Amino acid sequence: MDVLQAGVGEFSVTDPDDLRAFMRTEKRRQMVDKVMPEAEAVRRYVKDGDYVSFDFSSFTRGPASLVREIIRQRRLNLWFAAKFTLMETTLLAAGGCLRGVDVGFLGLGYLIGKWVEEGRIKVTEWTNGTLTLRHLAGAMGVPFLPTRSLLATDTLTYSGAKVVQDPFTGKPIALVPAVNPDVGLVHVHQCDIYGNARCFGPGVSPLETAMASKRTIISTEEIITTDDIRKEPSKTTIPYYMVDAVVYAPFGCLPGGTQGIYEMDTPHFLEFMGASRDEQKMAAYLDKYVYSVASHEEFLEKRVGVARLLELKRQATIKEGYH
């Protein structure tokens, strides 16, 4: 196929055969207990220089506690898949964790745009849809997938996509390269000790993210028995053999919400937005909510409190379909 146009954005490519060999030799198929503390999961599976991805965003079922732990452990030179991201990109950048970002939605606040303009963080532009499509390609084990959505846009120019002549119709078609993250982060409603996980309500690509990633860390609101999983197998979103670590993290999305369990904490987001316009205020925010607490549990105890947690649970009035 003749290449008609190529974007200038930086991206990495994983050979599908190398990935298949990794999955065959490194992914365990045995039913083993994968429950571990959050700090251990991040220490074991998130390394400096990794490509990190996740399923959903700050407002809804985002892996907020895992992101805070990555910052707390001061990981460096990460490349981040910012599909449907809101506060995560800004927090990781403020914590000095990021080298670059694949942009679907860059993030909330003035600072992240400023740091990109100054060249402190590299970006490669995509759309939310095409960045998700790259994960689907990675999950399928193919090197790329076609799409028409980037054609005739400036986004294509600054992406890593290529436009070729469709061999069937003769028309231009954009090809987006597969992405296979070093680690995927997915927050779920329920999970057993082996990693069989359930996501209820809206989502983006929990299964595709887990399938495409070399390592997958699940954080969960609830750990249930495998017998309960087997009673309703159709509810399993991610099967155990794609999962490397299970972290028990009730309220793990805060300040975002988890559908049917608790609502997002709007005052906290307003506090974050205020901090996201000033580097000193952002440093104070990180100290308050990340560095000065040793764990997610301590964050809940010292920075949120039982009364606020109960109020956020009370506000989650739409329960249908989430249990």
Side-chain angles (χ1 to χ4, degrees), residues 173-242:
I173 191 75
L175 305 181
V176 295
V179 63
N180 292 105
D182 294 295
V183 58
L185 313 175
V186 185
H187 188 81
V188 303
H189 285 74
Q190 296 175 332
C191 188
D192 70 5
I193 63 173
Y194 307 121
N196 292 297
R198 294 171 169 178
C199 298
F200 302 126
V204 179
S205 55
L207 177 59
E208 293 82 357
T209 299
M211 288 181 67
S213 299
K214 294 177 182 177
R215 302 293 187 185
T216 299
I217 302 174
I218 296 290
S219 57
T220 183
E221 294 290 333
E222 182 183 10
I223 294 180
I224 63 176
T225 69
T226 304
D227 285 343
D228 286 333
I229 292 285
R230 287 171 173 165
K231 287 175 184 175
E232 298 181 275
S234 63
K235 290 185 176 180
T236 300
T237 308
I238 300 170
Y240 76 95
Y241 50 84
M242 296 177 184

Side-chain angles (χ1 to χ4, degrees), residues 5-219:
Q5 182 182 353
V8 299
E10 179 181 340
F11 65 95
S12 60
V13 174
T14 301
D15 187 309
D17 291 329
D18 291 344
L19 180 71
R20 179 173 294 183
F22 177 90
M23 296 297 190
R24 184 169 55 248
T25 59
E26 300 297 325
K27 284 284 191 177
R28 295 177 293 180
R29 299 301 192 272
Q30 301 89 345
M31 302 281 279
V32 296
D33 187 341
K34 299 171 186 172
V35 178
M36 63 185 70
E38 193 164 64
E40 180 183 349
V42 170
R43 186 165 53 249
R44 185 181 297 186
Y45 294 118
V46 183
K47 308 300 181 185
D48 290 350
D50 275 355
Y51 189 107
V52 178
S53 184
F54 68 103
D55 164 44
F56 219 178
S57 75
S58 306
F59 288 167
T60 308
R61 204 171 49 72
S65 67
L66 289 171
V67 169
R68 284 191 291 269
E69 184 59 32
I70 289 171
I71 299 169
R72 191 177 292 117
Q73 293 193 20
R74 301 183 186 274
R75 291 292 180 266
L76 301 172
N77 298 317
L78 302 178
W79 194 280
F80 187 57
K83 62 180 191 295
F84 292 91
T85 184
L86 292 167
M87 67 189 298
E88 295 93 347
T89 313
T90 300
L91 291 178
L92 287 163
C97 301
L98 293 186
R99 177 177 72 89
V101 182
D102 275 331
V103 175
F105 184 92
L106 183 59
L108 288 177
Y110 164 80
L111 285 176
I112 186 66
K114 174 177 179 289
W115 292 330
V116 170
E117 290 177 358
E118 293 173 350
R120 291 165 59 176
I121 299 171
K122 293 183 178 180
V123 296
T124 299
E125 293 192 16
W126 307 91
T127 63
N128 288 333
T130 53
L131 191 49
T132 302
L133 192 65
R134 294 186 63 203
H135 285 74
L136 177 60
M140 294 172 64
V142 297
F144 57 82
L145 282 174
T147 181
R148 298 177 67 177
S149 65
L150 289 176
L151 295 174
T153 68
D154 286 342
T155 301
L156 189 148
T157 303
Y158 298 101
S159 74
K162 298 182 185 296
V163 179
V164 301
Q165 187 178 48
D166 178 354
F168 298 102
T169 67
K171 296 180 178 180
I173 191 75
L175 305 181
V176 295
V179 63
N180 292 105
D182 294 295
V183 58
L185 313 175
V186 185
H187 188 81
V188 303
H189 285 74
Q190 296 175 332
C191 188
D192 70 5
I193 63 173
Y194 307 121
N196 292 297
R198 294 171 169 178
C199 298
F200 302 126
V204 179
S205 55
L207 177 59
E208 293 82 357
T209 299
M211 288 181 67
S213 299
K214 294 177 182 177
R215 302 293 187 185
T216 299
I217 302 174
I218 296 290
S219 57

